[in-house]
């Protein structure tokens, strides 16, 4: 498809990487010629310098022939005007805008026809929702839901002395005493779609498919004790901190938010529920953290404006024995370094935002048979996709052992209506079933038939 990306910042650059790799015809718009030149040199894309909300600039980017415009500049207002102008020049174009200011959320939803937006993405709100889910359901580093929340793919790190150390996957069920499937393993930064002969090692990151009930049983059988968080410390009072504090307070969680900027503290005190305790101070201060009871809290979330600061606070929280540590980072380029540090769950708003947009692009490409759900797992080195089996799907009613799949692809789950199955060689799917596929990164699966040899 022909796609225009307005704004060549963090989100724009990540989208350029993902969408150019998928073979789309991309045009970038940015006011900074130097930044634009860098992207044009690295990727097979066109560049247009100028104000993306200008009719003249959009026409220079050939907006009348474009299928999709993604407005991801640093200004919400420019993104809105860019989308409206593009739609005025090309009524059939799809428009996506990144809108970060919480004040615009209700307004845009109510007036969505006026703004002509196909999709609005809010990275901070998405990140806060992801963190809230992790706090509500502790025990795993990441959780992704499929099949109307009946199935999950979770991330679990094998700790020293774990029952899973040196276990072959074919013997896994004898150890964990429940039905789960390891659909991907990340070891030393390299992801594999494992066979039954794969042997697990200390430090491996496992991506496990199962129902929520089985996952609870898995944690219990592995001796991983989890309980609902009652007291949470949030380091950083930005937009994510605002959303997260509001939601946790509504659930009855005791929230202590530490923010260094005094004016921001006063602003938050007027917006947040009275149950949220706001502390004006430096979240990296050991004395402050100890005096506010870091040793007695159930979770620490670090989301200051600096990745390095977040990592330092998270590492200290780990040494204090905090059961759950969640670290927000702005860059995911140093995955192996972050993994080796042991930062708990790592959340990147930029990646969450880009994944949402890529899912929309995939759905546009192939409306019939497109993936219902798509999640990047294992630091983006693998994808988990949910498809519905239709009349055109190959191998309906055939046992899986007789079906030849492309290399590095795994059928992780089959949902027969309300019944969910972790498949084996005898399993079959029928029209109307939903199927979860896990594929190693670099493969573009537009429909279910793309998985077969």
């Amino acid at each position: 498809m022909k796609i225009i990306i307005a704004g060549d910042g963090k989100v724009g650059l990540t989208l350029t990487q993902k969408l150019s790799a998928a073979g789309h015809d991309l045009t970038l718009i940015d006011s900074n010629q130097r930044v634009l030149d860098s992207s044009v040199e690295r990727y097979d894309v066109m560049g247009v310098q100028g104000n993306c909300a200008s009719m003249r600039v959009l026409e220079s980017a050939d907006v009348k022939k474009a299928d999709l415009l993604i407005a991801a500049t640093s200004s919400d207002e420019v993104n809105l005007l860019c989308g409206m102008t593009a739609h005025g020049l090309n009524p059939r174009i799809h428009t996506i805008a990144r809108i970060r200011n919480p004040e615009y959320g209700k307004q845009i939803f109510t007036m969505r026809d006026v703004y002509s937006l196909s999709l609005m993405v809010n990275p901070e709100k998405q990140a806060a929702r992801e963190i809230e889910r992790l706090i509500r359901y502790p025990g795993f580093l990441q959780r992704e839901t499929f099949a109307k929340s009946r199935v999950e793919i979770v991330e679990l790190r094998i700790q020293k002395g774990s029952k899973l150390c040196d276990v072959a996957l074919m013997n896994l069920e004898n150890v964990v005493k429940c039905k789960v499937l390891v659909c991907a393993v990340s070891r030393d930064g390299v992801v594999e779609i494992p066979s039954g002969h794969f042997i697990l090692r200390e430090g491996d990151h496992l991506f496990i498919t199962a129902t929520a009930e089985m996952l609870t049983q898995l944690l219990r059988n592995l001796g991983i004790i989890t309980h609902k968080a009652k007291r949470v410390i949030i380091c950083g009072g930005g937009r994510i901190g605002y959303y997260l504090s509001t939601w946790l307070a509504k659930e009855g969680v005791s929230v202590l938010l530490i923010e260094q900027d005094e004016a921001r503290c006063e602003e938050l005190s007027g917006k947040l529920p009275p149950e949220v305790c706001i502390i004006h101070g430096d979240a990296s201060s050991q004395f402050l953290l100890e005096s506010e009871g870091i040793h007695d809290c159930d979770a620490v979330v670090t989301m200051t404006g600096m990745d390095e600061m977040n990592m330092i606070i998270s590492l200290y929280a780990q040494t204090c024995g905090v059961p759950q540590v969640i670290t927000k980072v702005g860059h995911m380029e140093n995955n192996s370094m972050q993994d080796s540090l042991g930062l708990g769950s790592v959340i990147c708003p930029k990646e969450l935002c880009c994944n949402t947009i890529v899912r929309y692009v995939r759905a546009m490409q192939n409306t019939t048979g497109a993936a219902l759900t798509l999640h990047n797992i294992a630091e983006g080195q693998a994808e988990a996709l949910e498809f519905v089996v239709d009349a055109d799907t190959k191998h309906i009613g055939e046992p899986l052992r007789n079906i030849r799949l492309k290399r590095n692809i795994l059928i992780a789950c089959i949902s027969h209506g309300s019944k969910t199955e972790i498949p084996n060689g005898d399993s079959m799917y029928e029209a109307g079933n939903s199927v979860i596929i896990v594929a190693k990164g670099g493969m573009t699966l537009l429909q279910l038939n793309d998985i077969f040899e």
Side-chain angles (χ1 to χ4, degrees):
M1 294 192 300
K2 184 171 177 56
I3 300 173
I4 297 173
I5 299 175
D8 197 18
K10 292 178 187 176
V11 171
L13 182 59
T14 304
L15 286 171
T16 301
Q17 292 171 338
K18 293 176 182 288
L19 297 177
S20 63
H24 294 289
D25 178 8
L26 299 185
T27 301
L28 307 184
I29 303 176
D30 199 273
S31 56
N32 189 322
Q33 186 66 53
R34 183 178 57 81
V35 171
L36 204 58
D37 289 342
S38 174
S39 293
V40 170
E41 286 175 16
R42 289 178 65 185
Y43 306 101
D44 184 19
V45 297
M46 297 288 291
V48 175
Q49 191 270 335
N51 177 5
C52 65
S54 158
M55 186 184 297
R56 177 187 59 81
V57 172
L58 286 171
E59 287 175 336
S60 299
D62 213 6
V63 70
K64 292 180 181 178
K65 294 182 181 178
D67 301 295
L68 170 66
L69 175 127
I70 303 166
T73 75
S74 57
S75 167
D76 290 352
E77 294 80 7
V78 170
N79 292 340
L80 283 172
L81 182 56
C82 178
M84 292 172 70
T85 306
H87 193 268
L89 293 169
N90 178 1
R92 67 173 185 82
I93 197 172
H94 290 243
T95 55
I96 299 174
R98 179 179 67 170
I99 307 296
R100 306 170 73 181
N101 191 331
E103 294 181 355
Y104 290 148
K106 184 177 179 182
Q107 175 180 331
I108 291 172
F109 179 78
T110 305
M111 303 175 64
R112 54 192 178 279
D113 293 336
V114 175
Y115 292 115
S116 304
L117 279 183
S118 309
L119 177 68
M120 177 184 75
V121 288
N122 184 331
E124 286 80 16
K125 195 170 186 177
Q126 278 186 283
R129 184 62 73 190
E130 189 72 16
I131 295 168
E132 187 253 350
R133 283 180 63 243
L134 288 170
I135 291 173
R136 195 191 310 163
Y137 305 110
F140 298 106
L141 297 176
Q142 303 286 347
R143 301 179 77 121
E144 309 288 0
T145 61
F146 298 85
K148 299 178 180 177
S149 299
R150 290 193 295 269
V151 182
E152 296 189 41
I153 293 183
V154 299
E155 180 183 355
L156 179 69
R157 187 173 188 267
I158 300 181
Q159 304 290 349
K160 185 177 181 179
S162 169
K163 295 179 182 179
L164 299 178
C165 285
D166 303 320
V167 173
L169 287 183
M170 63 176 69
N171 301 323
L172 183 65
E173 195 169 340
N174 297 330
V175 176
V176 299
K177 310 297 183 188
C178 59
K179 185 73 171 175
V180 299
L181 177 70
V182 176
C183 55
V185 178
S186 176
R187 178 179 293 170
D188 299 326
V190 178
V191 172
E192 288 191 47
I193 307 295
S195 67
H197 298 285
F198 189 92
I199 297 175
L200 303 175
R201 303 288 187 218
E202 177 190 334
D204 286 352
H205 281 244
L206 311 185
F207 296 86
I208 301 169
T209 310
T211 61
E213 180 185 354
M214 284 294 143
L215 290 172
T216 302
Q217 194 173 329
L218 173 68
L219 289 176
R220 191 183 308 121
N221 294 346
L222 289 176
I224 300 173
I225 301 170
T226 63
H227 64 276
K228 184 179 178 183
K230 296 179 180 177
R231 186 169 183 272
V232 176
I233 294 178
I234 297 174
C235 302
R239 292 189 180 108
I240 304 177
Y242 163 75
Y243 287 121
L244 183 61
S245 300
T246 303
W247 295 335
L248 290 177
K250 285 182 180 177
E251 293 176 15
V253 178
S254 173
V255 179
L256 187 146
L257 187 149
I258 303 174
E259 167 58 42
Q260 193 164 16
D261 185 270
E262 186 176 0
R264 178 62 175 167
C265 286
E266 291 178 359
E267 183 184 351
L268 287 171
S269 67
K271 292 181 176 180
L272 290 173
E275 297 85 5
V276 178
C277 179
I278 302 170
I279 303 294
H280 173 228
D282 181 2
S284 65
S285 164
Q286 181 179 344
F287 173 77
L288 176 62
L289 291 171
E290 289 183 352
S291 64
E292 295 300 337
I294 190 171
H295 292 277
D296 302 320
C297 73
D298 300 301
V300 167
V301 185
T302 60
M303 51 178 76
T304 71
M306 295 177 60
D307 287 1
E308 297 82 359
M309 184 75 73
N310 293 339
M311 292 178 187
I312 290 169
I313 301 169
S314 292
L315 289 170
Y316 179 66
Q318 295 275 23
T319 65
C320 293
V322 178
Q324 187 175 27
V325 177
I326 300 172
T327 309
K328 189 219 89 175
V329 298
H331 303 273
M332 291 291 280
E333 287 80 6
N334 301 316
N335 293 326
S336 56
M337 184 187 299
Q338 293 166 3
D339 181 42
S340 65
L341 291 173
L343 301 172
S345 298
V346 177
I347 297 293
C348 180
K350 174 190 72 176
E351 289 291 327
L352 291 172
C353 172
C354 290
N355 292 342
T356 300
I357 294 172
V358 170
R359 278 200 296 272
Y360 188 92
V361 173
R362 292 268 184 97
M364 276 184 67
Q365 269 184 281
N366 188 25
T367 306
T368 305
L372 294 179
T373 315
L374 181 151
H375 291 288
N376 280 326
I377 60 174
E379 292 94 27
Q381 295 185 61
E383 287 184 342
L385 308 96
E386 181 183 358
F387 292 97
V388 172
V389 178
D390 59 31
D392 296 324
T393 303
K394 299 175 182 176
H395 306 297
I396 287 177
E398 295 182 31
L400 294 187
R401 64 162 53 90
N402 298 336
I403 300 174
R404 292 178 65 89
L405 303 179
K406 290 178 181 174
R407 198 166 170 231
N408 289 321
I409 287 180
L410 178 74
I411 297 178
C413 180
I414 302 173
S415 286
H416 314 270
S418 59
K419 181 185 174 186
T420 300
E421 175 187 10
I422 301 299
N424 54 40
D426 296 321
S427 300
M428 298 178 287
Y429 52 77
E430 303 290 343
N433 293 167
S434 67
V435 178
I436 298 172
I437 306 298
V438 175
K440 202 166 178 181
M443 307 180 74
T444 301
L445 303 177
L446 298 180
Q447 56 185 346
L448 187 51
N449 282 336
D450 291 340
I451 72 172
F452 305 115
E453 275 195 344

